Amino acid sequence: MNCKSVISELSNYLDGELELAAKRQLEQHLVDCQECNLVVNQTKLTVDIFCDSEPVALPPDVQTRLHEALRRKFSEKRT
Ligand SMILES: [Zn+2]
């Protein structure tokens, strides 16, 4: 497996949808190739962050303060 195949199979690999043989080849490549290793780790990290974070709703008081801050900012600009 070369770097190009690793990158093109990366999302399948991270989703666990890669065949065992292909997975083994990919992991073998990661042992030898520092660059791909880095890419996979970074992507893994990003995916983990995405999976863990739920859509964040701002608390009402924060929303109010934010709106006030924005309004102030905009009215400053107008004057
Ligand atoms: Zn590589």
Side-chain angles (χ1 to χ4, degrees):
M1 194 172 268
N2 57 30
C3 296
K4 218 176 153 186
S5 336
V6 169
I7 302 305
S8 69
E9 297 293 347
L10 185 58
S11 66
N12 286 334
Y13 172 66
L14 292 176
D15 288 343
E17 284 172 3
L18 218 55
E19 284 171 36
L20 196 61
K23 193 184 160 188
R24 288 239 175 89
Q25 282 177 10
L26 194 149
E27 281 168 349
Q28 188 56 50
H29 179 93
L30 292 184
V31 174
D32 299 330
C33 181
Q34 196 61 44
E35 276 103 46
C36 287
N37 211 330
L38 209 70
V39 172
V40 171
N41 282 334
Q42 278 303 312
T43 312
K44 231 185 216 168
L45 214 64
T46 314
V47 171
D48 283 346
I49 290 166
F50 269 114
C51 287
D52 286 346
S53 66
E54 286 164 19
V56 182
L58 289 174
D61 61 316
V62 176
Q63 275 185 30
T64 311
R65 266 183 292 168
L66 186 67
H67 285 161
E68 269 169 20
L70 284 174
R71 208 168 48 211
R72 262 202 305 271
K73 208 171 170 62
F74 280 122
S75 53
E76 271 170 26
K77 260 184 189 170
R78 260 184 242 128
T79 50

